[in-house]
Amino acid sequence: MASKPGPLTQWPWHNLGNYKYALVAPSAAYSTYRFVTASSAAERDLLGFMVFPMLLLRLLYGQLWITVSRHQTARSKHKIAQVAPWWSTKGMVVTAVLHAGPVEFLYYWLHRALHHHWLYARYHSHHHASIVTEPITSVIHPFAEEVVYFVLLAIPILSTVATGTTSVLTANGYLVYIDFMNYLGHCNFELVPKCLFHVFPPLKYLLYTPSFHSLHHTQFRTNYSLFMPVYDYIYGTTDKSSDELYERTLQGRDEAAWRPDVVHLTHLTAPESVFHNRLGFAAVASNPLGAAASGHLLRAASAVASPLLSLFASTFRSEANRLDKLNIETWVIPRFTSHYTSKSDGYKVSRLIEKAVSDAEASGARVLTLGLLNQGYDLNRNGELYVVRKPSLKTKIVDGTSLAVAAVLNMIPQGTKDVLLLGNANKISLVLTLSLCKREIQVRMVNKELYECLKQQLQPEMQEHLVLSCSYSSKVWLVGDGVTDEEQMKAQKGSHFVPYSQFPPNKARNDCVYHCTPALLVPESFENLHVCENWLPRRVMSAWRAAGIVHALEKWDEHECGGRVTGVQKAWSAALARGFRPYDHHHHPGITHDGRGGL
């Protein structure tokens, strides 16, 4: 929203949300009906019939640009009086001349006017909220601005209609050109080859580059042109660093000077998670997984997209962030949860993880965190396998157990004297039990196998706080993987379910309190975090992922994997000192999906 919203800043259909797309249904149905029921080919309004397909094409076209741009930035490398014919050369010439003349000229001066402080504060500042642009930035404008742009860009199309030179390809091709150039200018990676300007030097004045327009978003008072820089050169508003930035960006960065400090290795979960990452749909990725209103549509689309994942041979980079001086990247194993739990796919998954560990070390990463099932004991013994195979591994493997346990302890209601621990025996259940016993909190268990497993690993003085019980009367349940709905039904009304598992338990009770999986709010200085992490809201990060960042910030020179533990209090104190904050949706109901709220 503009800093001082003026009249018609908000779109009339803003409150309709995604239902706004239904507004085109009557027009699409009518044009289709007219086209199908026409008695002859001469009466078919082909141009009108193509409106709806072109709208869909433009949407998919825009999404393609967004996906390609996000992939590149994560890598950081370089009705009509007569039936319109398919083609008209005169129409193409008229369109090109009118665009290069009136459209570009009028847009240039309109754009300069929008940078006047009165108009800028009420309208154009909304667009310039994106200093670091991406393709979606190109269509983020207040409604009043879009109306003016629509009128301006309609000049060539309406002129060809008035002169009888219009054609289907010219009209629709002009729209494709506008979209292409718009997305090109905001994609934030340079892709226009230098040879084009060598072959035809005047092209410098007729075609802008992404780096040329990026300077407008960083410098604000230069490079005002729409797509053709000629008017900036004529009126002296070309940024002096335009050529230098283009040359430097086209060469690409020095890989030796850029390396990730922290790599978070995660994987896809449910099939719809294909679209729940930064390379996918923003409307999906900016909400917790499963919260999208178009869930059924996503599941249908993922059924088609999911099998294609078998074509991926290794991880892909989905996100790049910064915190203080740390470069942080998220790498995704292109496999689902079902692959991790399948014996037949286990070896293949393990090989993918091991290759990612090697790639992380080769890239110079100081820390690699194993997220979700990438740290499975049966898969790699909480990451210890990679350290055993390569004792000289410089990249520190962090499974995040200490910080995850600390986050769980923080969610246990104050004054709790005893807890019921359920789930499978694993590293986190052991460290959690030990921490509770040290606090003299009685840990009850109903599973004899779990009880015996944990008891054997506790010191004698700690074992007195461990109790094998047949009672489910505890008001606080610590639940891990393997907890069933039947077990949950035995809880008293008002009981607290606190997960210590990577995945949240199924909510089988409406009269109990369900806490979130171990997580923390990230510092406000954490940059470029636009994607929700699975079922967590914006700017909330799983404790396992946060642990690797803290590990790198503190420059700890040891692994936390296998049987190694950083220390619960040590990890918690360091996380708080570095700006991370405790999070529990039960205690923080005011938080919104952009990370703001009554905290």
Side-chain angles (χ1 to χ4, degrees):
M1 185 62 68
S3 55
K4 294 181 180 179
L8 291 178
T9 293
Q10 194 172 77
W11 292 71
W13 42 80
H14 174 78
N15 293 329
L16 293 177
N18 286 334
Y19 292 107
K20 64 180 177 288
Y21 298 113
L23 296 176
V24 304
S27 175
Y30 178 73
S31 62
T32 303
Y33 173 78
R34 287 288 306 274
F35 185 83
V36 172
T37 59
S39 59
S40 64
E43 294 181 3
R44 289 194 176 98
D45 184 1
L46 184 59
L47 185 61
F49 177 68
M50 290 293 293
V51 170
F52 185 63
M54 278 303 301
L55 175 61
L56 293 177
L57 176 61
R58 293 178 71 192
L59 289 172
L60 294 173
Y61 185 50
Q63 180 59 44
L64 177 62
W65 267 99
I66 292 168
T67 297
V68 171
S69 172
R70 289 176 175 174
H71 175 61
Q72 290 290 342
T73 53
R75 293 176 66 231
S76 303
K77 203 172 175 71
H78 0 266
K79 178 164 194 191
I80 296 175
Q82 58 185 3
V83 176
W86 277 102
W87 173 252
S88 170
T89 302
K90 290 183 179 179
M92 185 274 290
V93 173
V94 169
T95 300
V97 170
L98 291 178
H99 176 83
V103 173
E104 288 279 351
F105 177 78
L106 292 174
Y107 178 89
Y108 174 84
W109 288 106
L110 169 65
H111 198 176
R112 291 191 64 170
L114 286 171
H115 277 260
H116 182 275
H117 67 274
W118 194 93
L119 288 174
Y120 185 83
R122 286 159 178 78
Y123 298 101
H124 202 53
S125 59
H126 179 56
H127 178 70
H128 274 275
S130 296
I131 297 175
V132 178
T133 63
E134 58 177 27
I136 194 66
T137 306
S138 65
V139 293
I140 302 298
H141 297 283
F143 177 66
E145 270 192 56
E146 287 283 9
V147 170
V148 178
Y149 297 152
F150 179 85
V151 172
L152 190 61
L153 296 171
I155 291 176
I157 296 178
L158 294 179
S159 296
T160 58
V161 172
T163 58
T165 59
T166 190
S167 69
V168 173
L169 290 179
T170 300
N172 290 298
Y174 184 58
L175 293 176
V176 171
Y177 165 77
I178 291 170
D179 287 338
F180 180 88
M181 296 302 295
N182 225 350
Y183 296 136
L184 172 73
H186 295 85
C187 71
N188 198 33
F189 68 97
E190 190 56 73
L191 74 164
V192 180
K194 193 174 181 179
C195 62
L196 291 180
F197 301 108
H198 287 162
V199 173
F200 186 63
L203 191 64
K204 176 180 180 179
Y205 306 102
L206 303 177
L207 174 69
Y208 76 169
T209 64
S211 55
F212 181 91
H213 189 69
S214 72
L215 286 168
H216 176 69
H217 279 263
T218 56
Q219 305 302 318
F220 297 102
R221 297 292 183 180
T222 58
N223 297 5
Y224 292 101
S225 294
L226 178 56
F227 307 138
M228 299 179 175
V230 59
Y231 294 105
D232 277 306
Y233 283 100
I234 291 175
Y235 296 108
T237 54
T238 305
D239 195 287
K240 295 180 180 179
S241 64
S242 297
D243 292 338
E244 186 272 334
L245 179 63
Y246 170 73
E247 296 277 356
R248 174 161 47 86
T249 309
L250 200 62
Q251 290 176 1
R253 72 182 185 199
D254 182 5
E255 289 292 341
W258 172 270
R259 63 176 178 83
D261 297 296
V262 181
V263 171
H264 176 60
L265 187 64
T266 186
H267 62 83
L268 300 170
T269 51
E272 54 266 31
S273 66
V274 170
F275 304 104
H276 190 260
N277 61 75
R278 186 159 169 76
L279 304 183
F281 296 112
V284 177
S286 60
N287 289 284
L289 184 61
S294 55
H296 294 297
L297 182 60
L298 279 177
R299 281 188 285 273
S302 61
V304 177
S306 299
L308 299 177
L309 285 172
S310 60
L311 301 177
F312 288 83
S314 61
T315 61
F316 62 88
R317 201 170 306 171
S318 69
E319 194 174 357
N321 316 103
R322 281 186 65 84
L323 176 61
D324 298 336
K325 295 181 180 181
L326 284 187
N327 295 319
I328 304 165
E329 293 184 353
T330 299
W331 295 3
V332 180
I333 299 285
R335 296 296 183 268
F336 297 111
T337 299
S338 58
H339 292 105
Y340 284 77
T341 57
S342 169
K343 292 183 179 180
S344 60
D345 293 322
Y347 176 75
K348 296 178 181 178
V349 169
S350 181
R351 295 289 295 177
L352 286 173
I353 300 173
E354 188 166 10
K355 184 179 185 304
V357 172
S358 297
D359 290 345
E361 184 177 36
S363 69
R366 288 151 51 186
V367 174
L368 180 137
T369 55
L370 297 173
L372 297 178
L373 300 181
N374 286 322
Q375 55 174 267
Y377 184 82
D378 295 334
L379 204 62
N380 51 45
R381 300 199 300 273
N382 299 98
E384 186 180 27
L385 177 65
Y386 312 122
V387 178
V388 171
R389 288 183 175 177
K390 192 174 182 180
S392 60
L393 187 68
K394 295 180 180 179
T395 300
K396 303 307 174 185
I397 306 295
V398 174
D399 61 21
T401 297
S402 296
L403 194 55
V405 168
V408 173
L409 295 175
N410 183 73
M411 289 188 287
I412 296 176
Q414 292 186 0
T416 299
K417 299 298 183 182
D418 68 274
V419 299
L420 179 65
L421 185 76
L422 299 97
N424 301 326
N426 52 31
K427 180 180 179 180
I428 192 169
S429 65
L430 172 62
V431 178
L432 179 58
T433 300
L434 179 60
S435 299
L436 291 166
C437 291
K438 286 181 178 179
R439 296 185 177 199
E440 298 185 348
I441 295 177
Q442 191 176 74
V443 182
R444 299 177 181 272
M445 298 181 188
V446 294
N447 187 313
K448 186 176 181 179
E449 183 179 347
L450 176 63
Y451 169 79
E452 294 294 344
C453 180
L454 295 180
K455 184 177 180 179
Q456 292 176 6
Q457 301 181 66
L458 292 180
Q459 298 175 354
E461 62 271 20
M462 296 294 177
Q463 293 179 6
E464 62 179 291
H465 300 293
L466 204 63
V467 178
L468 180 62
S469 172
C470 59
S471 172
Y472 291 82
S473 60
S474 296
K475 296 291 290 184
V476 177
W477 289 32
L478 304 182
V479 295
D481 295 322
V483 175
T484 65
D485 292 354
E486 290 75 13
E487 286 178 315
Q488 294 185 43
M489 298 309 295
K490 298 176 183 179
Q492 296 183 25
K493 180 180 179 181
S495 294
H496 288 252
F497 291 96
V498 182
Y500 61 87
S501 55
Q502 297 268 5
F503 297 92
N506 181 46
K507 295 182 179 181
R509 297 284 295 271
N510 294 322
D511 57 353
C512 293
V513 179
Y514 286 84
H515 297 254
C516 72
T517 53
L520 294 93
L521 277 162
V522 302
E524 291 190 8
S525 57
F526 201 103
E527 300 176 15
N528 204 32
L529 188 62
H530 306 304
V531 178
C532 282
E533 188 176 335
N534 296 306
W535 36 85
L536 299 173
R538 286 274 292 276
R539 301 193 69 79
V540 175
M541 181 180 291
S542 76
W544 291 273
R545 181 180 177 184
I549 298 172
V550 174
H551 206 95
L553 289 170
E554 295 294 322
K555 299 181 179 179
W556 291 332
D557 195 29
E558 61 272 344
H559 301 281
E560 185 182 41
C561 59
R564 310 179 199 193
V565 179
T566 298
V568 175
Q569 189 57 47
K570 177 182 177 180
W572 187 247
S573 299
L576 297 182
R578 292 294 182 172
F580 288 90
R581 290 293 175 262
Y583 172 77
D584 185 358
H585 61 71
H586 173 62
H587 294 146
H588 304 93
I591 193 170
T592 61
H593 292 318
D594 61 358
R596 300 188 294 269
L599 302 179

